[in-house]
Amino acid sequence: MNFLHYFIDIVGTCNLRCPSCPVGNYQPTDFINNPRPKGFMDFSLFKEILDKIQRENSRHENVIIAIYNWGEPLLHPEYPQFIEAIQAKGFYAEVSSNLNLFDTDDSKKVQHRTNIKDVVMAAPNKLIVSLSGYDAEVYSQTHKRGSSQLVVSNLFKLRYYMEKLKKQFIVELSYHLYKHNVGKDIERIISLTNDLGFRFSSDFTFLMPLEKFLKYLDGEQLSQEEQALISLMLIKPEEQVKLAEAYKHLKCPLREWTTINFDGSTALCCAVYDYEYNIANNFIDISQEELEQRKETHPYCIRCMKKGLHVVASSAARAELTQLTNVRLQSIGSRFRRDNSHSRLSY
Ligand code: SF4
Ligand code: SF4
């Protein structure tokens, strides 16, 4: 089935600082000019964006609106309204959260409204929960500032409220694979997923954003934390690129998606972080056709494609990535084997 896929960051920051993600690994000196702004998307802007998407969808294709990219959507005080607005258009509402959320019943603290009950009431079509361990010490290495105990307790609450309120939607636990978390940790998470009737998926770890990946390949010095992250990766960035080499000639799958920042500006793709790689200041003011043209001719794409980065995470290269991942898992004594059918991007 064909989908039009939009990533819309309704929150332009996150409460965690994962070393594999620019929210965690970007330093002020990494930006070409100005640091990336932070903030919450206005609901009125979001509604305008949805209207434009609907207007431009002349072929009436299915539309997926994922309200995240580099941010934690459940920090937005009005996120239930955003989900409601997506579904009112007949679009598919997807949320991805770290679920490191404390409940608050204090209505005055609306800026921290993160009740699990509200998440269930909002009932997105799909809620992805990203995590990287069960044990607190294992998890916090790669979900820095986060608590696995908090995530696990929220998963139980989620199921509790789904039963109580009779709400059904897909909950998918997306497990990030590293060398340190594929023993007992992954087994406990799979067992927990089954107990709670949720869906399990596993994901490769990439050094993100694209700018960091390129810097690394160009031999630029990375921070100690980034080097520590790379030492935990099952497949190193240079190996990922080598595997993707055979698919370099293919077109970039990320160009088929549209990525919108919290302030309505539009990024070249979901893998870049610096606002220097924005292709429009306001999604509302530019036609989809013009956006596509700007992507086609962007100079950063030439650099990216030369190295084959555009296909590293593509479905074409994934089979080999999975094969090598499974060889590595075996060599470190893990009983887990990755299955491509359990990819996070399956609908
Ligand atoms: S939880 Fe997600 S958005 Fe937040 S820092 Fe980690 S990877 Fe980035
Ligand atoms: S070619 Fe690279 S930079 Fe360009 S859209 Fe694709 S992934 Fe992004």
Side-chain angles (χ1 to χ4, degrees):
M1 198 181 284
N2 266 352
F3 292 102
L4 296 177
H5 206 140
Y6 294 82
F7 288 98
I8 307 178
D9 248 336
I10 65 165
V11 174
T13 191
C14 182
N15 50 333
L16 303 193
R17 292 291 180 271
C18 305
S20 60
C21 164
V23 184
N25 66 32
Y26 241 60
Q27 301 300 318
T29 48
D30 285 325
F31 291 101
I32 298 171
N33 284 312
N34 300 314
R36 192 180 156 94
K38 294 177 181 174
F40 293 156
M41 180 174 274
D42 284 334
F43 183 57
S44 55
L45 171 62
F46 186 70
K47 281 200 297 184
E48 282 185 69
I49 291 171
L50 293 184
D51 287 343
K52 178 171 180 278
I53 290 170
Q54 191 173 47
R55 262 196 323 274
E56 291 184 327
N57 183 13
S58 53
R59 288 191 297 183
H60 305 287
E61 289 185 84
N62 293 301
V63 177
I64 296 171
I65 306 286
I67 51 171
Y68 62 91
N69 191 39
W70 302 125
E72 169 52 58
L74 300 186
L75 294 180
H76 200 298
E78 295 164 320
Y79 72 82
Q81 267 179 265
F82 284 68
I83 294 168
E84 196 184 328
I86 297 168
Q87 293 176 333
K89 291 269 185 220
F91 300 160
Y92 187 95
E94 184 177 289
V95 176
S96 177
S97 170
N98 55 49
L99 227 60
N100 267 268
L101 308 166
F102 286 104
D103 265 9
T104 171
D105 292 324
D106 185 350
S107 55
K108 288 182 199 138
K109 290 188 181 172
V110 283
Q111 72 272 32
H112 298 300
R113 187 170 109 178
T114 52
N115 283 334
I116 296 299
K117 188 178 173 187
D118 289 341
V119 179
V120 175
M121 293 279 281
N125 296 76
K126 186 175 183 182
L127 170 66
I128 297 165
V129 179
S130 68
L131 74 178
S132 58
Y134 185 93
D135 177 83
E137 202 268 326
V138 170
Y139 174 89
S140 61
Q141 283 182 59
T142 36
H143 271 78
K144 204 173 152 194
R145 292 195 190 173
S147 157
S148 57
Q149 285 151 335
L150 183 55
V151 180
V152 170
S153 62
N154 279 334
L155 288 170
F156 276 94
K157 268 190 208 160
L158 202 57
R159 174 47 74 195
Y160 170 81
Y161 281 114
M162 286 171 81
E163 293 302 310
K164 184 172 176 173
L165 302 172
K166 301 199 184 333
K167 294 272 187 187
Q168 289 306 323
F169 52 90
I170 298 168
V171 178
E172 182 169 310
L173 273 61
S174 170
Y175 197 86
H176 299 193
L177 302 169
Y178 291 95
K179 281 183 193 163
H180 74 309
N181 68 2
V182 287
K184 281 199 180 102
D185 282 81
I186 198 166
E187 289 175 17
R188 291 196 75 169
I189 292 292
I190 291 174
S191 153
L192 176 74
T193 312
N194 292 336
D195 290 348
L196 294 175
F198 296 155
R199 190 192 274 186
F200 178 85
S201 69
S202 64
D203 219 343
F204 306 107
T205 309
F206 301 103
L207 177 62
M208 282 284 114
L210 206 60
E211 296 95 306
K212 279 272 163 182
F213 202 152
L214 259 175
K215 273 187 184 177
Y216 174 79
L217 295 177
D218 286 344
E220 284 192 38
Q221 185 69 27
L222 295 186
S223 70
Q224 277 191 345
E225 200 179 14
E226 286 154 359
Q227 288 173 32
L229 173 89
I230 289 168
S231 71
L232 286 180
M233 288 167 75
L234 285 162
I235 316 282
K236 303 269 178 285
E238 57 270 35
E239 294 178 305
Q240 294 171 356
V241 167
K242 208 170 161 196
L243 286 179
E245 179 78 28
Y247 308 99
K248 263 166 89 168
H249 62 284
L250 297 178
K251 63 179 188 177
C252 173
L254 274 64
R255 280 183 176 167
E256 287 167 26
W257 305 336
T258 303
T259 306
I260 304 168
N261 302 314
F262 80 94
D263 53 7
S265 60
T266 309
L268 171 59
C269 67
C270 61
V272 295
Y273 191 61
D274 200 310
Y275 265 38
E276 289 296 311
Y277 301 120
N278 278 352
I279 52 172
N281 290 332
N282 193 345
F283 175 77
I284 302 298
D285 299 333
I286 182 165
S287 70
Q288 191 66 30
E289 202 182 2
E290 175 65 23
L291 279 176
E292 301 309 328
Q293 272 171 16
R294 290 186 186 186
K295 287 182 202 174
E296 288 296 326
T297 53
H298 202 285
Y300 200 63
C301 292
I302 298 169
R303 277 188 70 193
C304 170
M305 290 170 129
K306 214 168 166 182
K307 300 262 186 204
L309 294 190
H310 64 301
V311 284
V312 162
S314 67
S315 52
R318 271 182 182 246
E320 285 166 51
L321 210 50
T322 294
Q323 215 175 17
L324 185 56
T325 299
N326 286 341
V327 170
R328 293 279 154 84
L329 287 168
Q330 189 174 20
S331 73
I332 60 173
S334 170
R335 292 192 299 182
F336 177 72
R337 295 291 175 270
R338 193 173 186 281
D339 177 347
N340 266 344
S341 67
H342 293 146
S343 167
R344 192 168 71 79
L345 287 173
S346 57
Y347 296 94

